[in-house]
Amino acid sequence: MNLMLVCLPLGFTAFWLEWGPVPVFGLNFLALVPLAKILGDATEELAAGLQSDVLAGLLNATFGNAVEMVMMVQTLRAGKTDVVKATLLGSVLSNVLLVLGMSFFFGGILGQKKQRTTVLAGLGLKDEEPHGSYKSADGSREFVAEKVQSFSAMTALVNTSMLLLACLVLSLVTIFYQEASNESIYGEIGMDSVILGVSRVCSIIMMISYVAYIFFQLVTHRQAMSEEDDGGEPEEPTISIRMSLVVMLLVTCVVAFCSDLLIQSLDGVVEKAHISEHFIGIILLPIVGNACEHASAVRFSIMDKPGLAVGIAVGSSTQIAMFVVPFSVMCGWAIGQPMDLDFGSLNTTVLMVSIIVVLSIIVDGQANWLQGYLLISAYAIIAVLYFWMPDATSFRSE
């Protein structure tokens, strides 16, 4: 995997020498794989140093979302509010469905060497453990059966409650715009001005709620939100907390540049495929832009750290929905762009139903591979929906 770091300078070179969108996309995408491993290593060291998977997951999500916030501001300055809405909606959906689903799926079928549990046979595996245990050739991973991972149900439920609050706000603002427009209540005042005012007030309330959530998570209920001790020896970090943060910051900056090159080359890659703009904005861009976060969450779940995986996936979605979305509205207000919370009836419905599905899966604080598969299936269905959605459809209620 470390050999793939050679793709990093090659990806930059491909962009500067104009080799074309396909080489730029492919090389920078491959470069994200070793970068994801480095970011995951730094997060693991940070979790060991802080003795808190919750805080480490929060910091990992924050570094990743910082990249999106910078890109969001640049897109807003260009006046592309629909692109901003599509990207933010896609980020939430990809995290709670695709990332969490893949984490549960692979964490539910793969185990560490130290585990002694019922195992499924696989290619190149041999029986060395009791009850028909089958290991890979290098002994580092096992295909396991009857495996159920456990994580803090309270952490997951609090995050999901925050996501439901975000869905409530987006749904009410969208319905308000539809009803008020149909009744022509505001007449000369203009519905656009009214919806902007409503969105800005709601955004302030949402951001205050997110601050309260952080205070609850890290101060008043820090112990309740932390993962339960499994009785094992605590892991000792090999590098300091400060060094872990520096590594995460540097890798995040490199990832931001790679992601920017990926996004710039994406249009050229899909141009001949005739893919709709909604599919690009809601499905492809979030997957590409958050590839490192996605890989980190899946990796931690395979390492039997589902709490850290949930913190990255669901925590990142919570941060986007309750902080980045209202922050984009406030940024639009500051720079004179009409960014509001009306995401359209279809999009708010998709978001609401997705969060309810996630809530039904994580409510008991346990996960298995089937639940992960169901989340991935839900994301695939949504992807099909947006693949066939015409470009003329706007992110605004009509």
Side-chain angles (χ1 to χ4, degrees):
M1 183 175 293
N2 292 332
L3 293 177
M4 296 179 69
L5 281 173
V6 72
C7 295
L8 185 61
L10 288 177
F12 296 164
T13 303
F15 174 75
W16 289 322
L17 298 182
E18 299 181 354
W19 290 357
V22 175
V24 173
F25 182 90
L27 290 171
N28 281 281
F29 186 80
L30 291 176
L32 289 179
V33 177
L35 290 175
K37 184 180 185 302
I38 296 173
L39 187 62
D41 289 339
T43 304
E44 188 176 5
E45 293 296 330
L46 185 63
L50 295 173
Q51 295 297 314
S52 172
D53 284 353
V54 174
L55 183 55
L58 176 63
L59 290 172
N60 183 288
T62 301
F63 277 114
N65 291 335
V67 177
E68 291 192 39
M69 292 180 68
V70 173
M71 297 175 62
M72 175 269 296
V73 173
Q74 297 299 326
T75 308
L76 267 182
R77 294 183 63 182
K80 299 179 179 180
T81 55
D82 277 0
V83 175
V84 173
K85 291 180 181 181
T87 304
L88 294 177
L89 173 66
S91 294
V92 175
L93 292 176
S94 67
N95 275 295
V96 297
L97 295 179
L98 181 63
V99 181
L100 191 62
M102 292 184 67
S103 299
F104 287 171
F105 180 81
F106 288 106
I109 64 175
L110 296 177
Q112 297 287 0
K113 179 179 178 180
K114 63 183 180 179
Q115 289 181 309
R116 300 178 63 89
T117 179
T118 306
V119 199
L120 297 178
L123 183 62
L125 307 176
K126 59 181 181 177
D127 187 359
E128 294 180 350
E129 295 286 330
H131 309 295
S133 175
Y134 294 87
K135 289 186 178 181
S136 58
D138 61 1
S140 60
R141 292 287 184 268
E142 296 176 324
F143 287 96
V144 297
E146 304 295 339
K147 180 179 179 182
V148 177
Q149 292 185 309
S150 299
F151 52 88
S152 172
M154 183 176 183
T155 301
L157 288 176
V158 169
N159 277 283
T160 310
S161 298
M162 296 293 291
L163 288 171
L164 286 173
L165 176 59
C167 292
L168 172 72
V169 175
L170 298 180
S171 299
L172 292 181
V173 172
T174 299
I175 295 173
F176 171 78
Y177 182 86
Q178 290 178 329
E179 293 297 322
S181 297
N182 293 336
E183 299 295 333
S184 301
I185 297 176
Y186 293 97
E188 297 180 358
I189 298 179
M191 196 60 223
D192 290 342
S193 298
V194 173
I195 201 67
L196 281 175
V198 172
S199 297
R200 289 163 183 170
V201 174
C202 291
S203 295
I204 294 174
I205 297 174
M206 292 173 70
M207 295 178 74
I208 294 175
S209 299
Y210 184 75
V211 173
Y213 155 78
I214 294 297
F215 188 78
F216 175 88
Q217 187 179 43
L218 300 182
V219 181
T220 63
H221 288 69
R222 182 173 182 177
Q223 294 297 324
M225 296 285 283
S226 62
E227 295 295 308
E228 295 181 1
D229 188 6
D230 58 4
E233 292 294 328
E235 296 183 4
E236 293 295 331
T238 57
I239 59 176
S240 65
I241 295 177
R242 179 178 300 177
M243 181 58 65
S244 298
L245 291 172
V246 170
V247 171
M248 292 177 69
L249 178 61
L250 292 177
V251 173
T252 300
C253 292
V254 178
V255 169
F257 190 68
C258 288
S259 300
D260 185 54
L261 297 184
L262 280 171
I263 292 171
Q264 290 184 42
S265 63
L266 188 60
D267 287 340
V269 173
V270 302
E271 183 177 359
K272 296 182 179 180
H274 304 289
I275 300 176
S276 71
E277 294 180 1
H278 290 287
F279 184 80
I280 295 174
I282 298 177
I283 304 300
L284 291 185
L285 290 185
I287 293 177
V288 172
N290 298 328
C292 278
E293 284 182 77
H294 296 185
S296 297
V298 174
R299 175 193 175 193
F300 288 130
S301 187
I302 293 175
M303 295 171 61
D304 294 325
K305 295 183 177 181
L308 194 49
V310 171
I312 294 174
V314 184
S316 179
S317 297
T318 302
Q319 192 173 76
I320 293 172
M322 290 297 295
F323 184 80
V324 180
V325 169
F327 181 77
S328 67
V329 174
M330 304 309 291
C331 284
W333 189 8
I335 62 179
Q337 294 294 340
M339 178 67 185
D340 56 43
L341 295 178
D342 179 11
F343 277 57
S345 57
L346 174 63
N347 301 309
T348 53
T349 301
V350 168
L351 181 61
M352 176 72 79
V353 175
S354 298
I355 301 304
I356 293 175
V357 170
V358 172
L359 175 63
S360 69
I361 287 178
I362 66 175
V363 66
D364 60 350
Q366 294 183 327
N368 54 61
W369 71 265
L370 178 60
Q371 292 175 325
Y373 175 79
L374 295 178
L375 291 176
I376 297 172
S377 298
Y379 189 77
I381 293 171
I382 293 173
V384 171
L385 173 72
Y386 283 110
F387 182 84
W388 292 102
M389 179 176 291
D391 291 335
T393 306
S394 174
F395 266 74
R396 171 56 81 80
S397 303
E398 300 294 342

